[in-house]
Amino acid sequence: MIYDVIIIGAGVTGCCIARTLSKYDLNICVLEKEAEIASGATKANSGVVHAGYAAQREYTKRHLCIKGNKLYSQAAEELNFPFKRIGSFVVALEDEQIKGLEEERKKGAEDGIPGLELILDKKRIHEMEPNLTEDVVGVLHASTAGLVSPYELTFALADNAATNGVKFFRNQEVVKIKHQDYIFTVRTYQGEFQTRNLINAAGLYASRISRMLGLDYFRLMPRKGEYILFDRNAIQLNKILFPTPTKISKGILVCPTLHGNTFAGPNAQNLNDPEDLSTTTAGLKEILEGGRKLVPNLPLRSAIRNFAGLRAVPDTYDFIIDNTDIYGFINVAGILSPGLTATFAIADKIVEFLELLGVQLTLKEDYNPNRPKPERFKDFKRQELDKKIQEDPRWGRIICRCETIPEKEIVDAIHAPVGSTTVDGIKFRCRPGMGRCQGGFCRPRVIEILSRELNIPYEDITKRGEDTNILVGKTKDLALKNLSRGVDTD
Ligand SMILES: Cc1cc2nc3c(=O)[nH]c(=O)nc-3n(C[C@H](O)[C@H](O)[C@H](O)COP(=O)(O)OP(=O)(O)OC[C@H]3O[C@@H](n4cnc5c(N)ncnc54)[C@H](O)[C@@H]3O)c2cc1C
């Protein structure tokens, strides 16, 4: 079969494009190299839906961010992903920084960003955010800034796209592409796919994909950002808190999450290795020091996890969204921050590109823009819960105690349209392992459920795909094997 569109990469960019195109009568598939979608930059970022004042005016990313922010409200209603406009502060700690904030406010307002306000009244600032340092001299408040759960957004996009006919193929790393007679032949380790139009949304690997077609016109540099995540209730912030930015980064922010935690980060470290997600003592020290400039009482003993994400920083420092010289090949590369915010606007741009290419975009009669809200134990009132448990006892079997996740939510995550098949996939879809014990209690039980539902042996269940096996076999079998080899197993 020849697809109308193949998208390489199932991060937020690829999945949002897939969902946007799924309203048209087109045969579409998404190829993802990892076992789960949302495994790249989309998995580890700040989850801030920016207001849009931060990037310079000459950059496309500024304009797509402003547009993208506005598109979030409707998308959240249709797709039922967690999203809240809680507003952000850019915090000035010195009088000289105020002038810069006022300039940002003025330019932002001229560019159509609503709700920007420079606040110099310290009493009012502390009423709005009591945790903020006493050293504050003023803030730029952006009321349209919000929080989104980036992977939950991506699962929602992919599930809705799949419901509308898009095919998702995981564990399919694209290794070679041929273009002949207006058809792209895309080779992966597992097979071959053909398409008339090819969209490259491969994150940090997008320059490699572009070079497979001889287009070598941009470079991407991995820039690592480390984070510290604090336990729920360790501290309760009302606002997303940014320092006044530096040239290369928005700086270390302190931010609440939609699940009641707080995090500090990210720092910014340029790397050569696109897989280096290590966290370092120096990095964590830098984050803590940076975070405490804004929130002095950040409680280190409530830290439950450190993690890192990798930005794909292009040499132009701007998004590369190109209808390239190769007819039908579109690059969507260098989608650094604010790519998450801009995602719906980026997807709309791809529709414009396909129109320019003459692709027939006929609306499907049965297109359904809505994704039902996943049912959550914590959202039910006591009486509803009793009824649920009576109807299906799996609602009453709590697998993750820290996050109160019952078996039913895990089973639903496995059988979603683009369902999860790994322990990490389940963790990101419905949160077992996200709590204080970080999976110490629930992981074996999650493995058991995955094994049962997918009908595959325990030892084939992985943490996040190939070469990340958790179990090597049953203790009894190992003991027998060792016995037959004459090894003492005591
Ligand atoms: C530390 C950090 C903080 C950030 N904070 C924010 C923020 O607060 N707000 C905001 O708006 N943005 C933020 N961003 C930016 C945002 O995370 C990115 O713009 C967005 O996630 C990019 O998504 P993507 O789909 O383009 O890339 P990715 O999520 O990296 O997806 C690319 C996908 O392509 C797959 N792939 C790669 N090569 C191949 C291949 N050969 N074959 C098949 N598949 C392949 C990968 O496995 C991956 O799943 C931040 C980024 C980082 C790293």
Side-chain angles (χ1 to χ4, degrees), residues 9 11-13 32-33 41-42 45-46 48 174 202 227 335 338-341:
V12 71
T13 307
E32 168 55 51
K33 76 178 168 71
T42 299
N45 58 60
S46 306
V48 175
V174 173
Y227 290 91
I335 308 299
L340 184 62
T341 311

Side-chain angles (χ1 to χ4, degrees), residues 51-57 62-63 65-67 70 99-117 140-142 144:
Y53 53 79
Q56 291 162 31
R57 270 183 171 158
R62 175 183 179 98
H63 305 287
C65 178
I66 295 171
K67 183 176 171 205
K70 293 177 182 161
K99 198 168 151 242
L101 294 191
E102 173 51 18
E103 270 166 29
E104 300 288 12
R105 188 206 62 76
K106 195 164 156 270
K107 274 195 267 167
E110 282 166 9
D111 289 350
I113 305 174
L116 287 177
E117 187 188 5
L140 175 61
H141 180 223
T144 58

Side-chain angles (χ1 to χ4, degrees), residues 13 24 44 59 87 91 122 133 141 153 156 165 175 202 216 220 223 264 292 305 323 325 337 368 420 449 468 482:
T13 307
Y24 302 109
Y59 287 145
V91 179
K122 270 179 84 163
T133 173
H141 180 223
L153 160 65
V175 286
D216 187 6
L220 298 175
R223 182 177 287 165
R292 281 183 173 160
R305 190 173 178 83
N323 232 342
D325 290 345
S337 186
N368 179 2
S420 296
I449 298 169
T468 61
N482 284 342

Side-chain angles (χ1 to χ4, degrees), residues 12-13 50 61 72 319 335-344 346:
V12 71
T13 307
H50 294 284
K61 61 186 178 183
Y72 257 78
F319 296 163
I335 308 299
L336 71 173
S337 186
L340 184 62
T341 311
T343 196
F344 294 100
I346 293 173

Side-chain angles (χ1 to χ4, degrees), residues 119-354:
I119 308 179
L120 301 176
D121 175 352
K122 270 179 84 163
K123 186 165 168 273
R124 188 168 157 226
I125 293 171
H126 279 120
E127 272 163 18
M128 292 169 85
E129 181 45 78
N131 294 289
L132 191 58
T133 173
E134 285 298 328
D135 295 340
V136 61
V137 291
V139 298
L140 175 61
H141 180 223
S143 65
T144 58
L147 293 175
V148 65
S149 164
Y151 34 88
E152 286 176 82
L153 160 65
T154 307
F155 297 140
L157 289 164
D159 283 352
N160 185 243
T163 308
N164 285 301
V166 175
K167 301 261 181 315
F168 282 79
F169 298 102
R170 289 168 282 177
N171 294 307
Q172 296 282 353
E173 178 172 355
V174 173
V175 286
K176 204 169 177 185
I177 309 170
K178 212 172 78 188
H179 185 227
Q180 202 176 8
D181 301 331
Y182 298 101
I183 301 291
F184 295 90
T185 303
V186 180
R187 180 100 43 92
T188 69
Y189 287 119
Q190 281 74 20
E192 214 171 72
F193 301 79
Q194 290 198 310
T195 181
R196 292 182 188 84
N197 300 283
L198 183 62
I199 298 175
N200 171 16
L204 263 168
Y205 295 87
S207 49
R208 194 180 285 179
I209 298 288
S210 185
R211 282 200 299 275
M212 288 180 195
L213 282 161
L215 293 180
D216 187 6
Y217 66 102
F218 60 90
R219 294 274 171 280
L220 298 175
M221 190 212 310
R223 182 177 287 165
K224 186 166 71 173
E226 297 170 69
Y227 290 91
I228 304 176
L229 182 71
F230 297 93
D231 197 7
R232 196 177 290 151
N233 302 326
I235 198 161
Q236 298 274 298
L237 293 182
N238 300 328
K239 295 284 171 194
I240 303 157
L241 302 175
F242 295 98
T244 303
T246 66
K247 262 197 173 147
I248 65 159
S249 151
K250 293 186 190 77
I252 288 158
L253 56 144
V254 186
C255 186
T257 74
L258 288 168
H259 297 286
N261 302 78
T262 298
F263 69 80
N267 58 355
Q269 194 193 345
N270 293 337
L271 303 172
N272 292 318
D273 179 0
E275 303 284 332
D276 179 359
L277 287 169
S278 59
T279 51
T280 60
T281 314
L284 300 178
K285 196 163 166 260
E286 181 190 349
I287 293 164
L288 202 62
E289 276 172 16
R292 281 183 173 160
K293 284 186 188 147
L294 300 179
V295 178
N297 61 339
L298 268 186
L300 186 57
R301 68 192 155 78
S302 299
I304 56 171
R305 190 173 178 83
N306 311 321
F307 63 94
L310 286 169
R311 308 164 179 96
V313 181
D315 37 13
T316 56
Y317 290 98
D318 199 4
F319 296 163
I320 297 161
I321 308 176
D322 286 343
N323 232 342
T324 69
D325 290 345
I326 298 177
Y327 183 85
F329 179 60
I330 298 174
N331 271 325
V332 195
I335 308 299
L336 71 173
S337 186
L340 184 62
T341 311
T343 196
F344 294 100
I346 293 173
D348 282 352
K349 212 161 173 55
I350 303 308
V351 175
E352 286 169 26
F353 282 0
L354 290 177

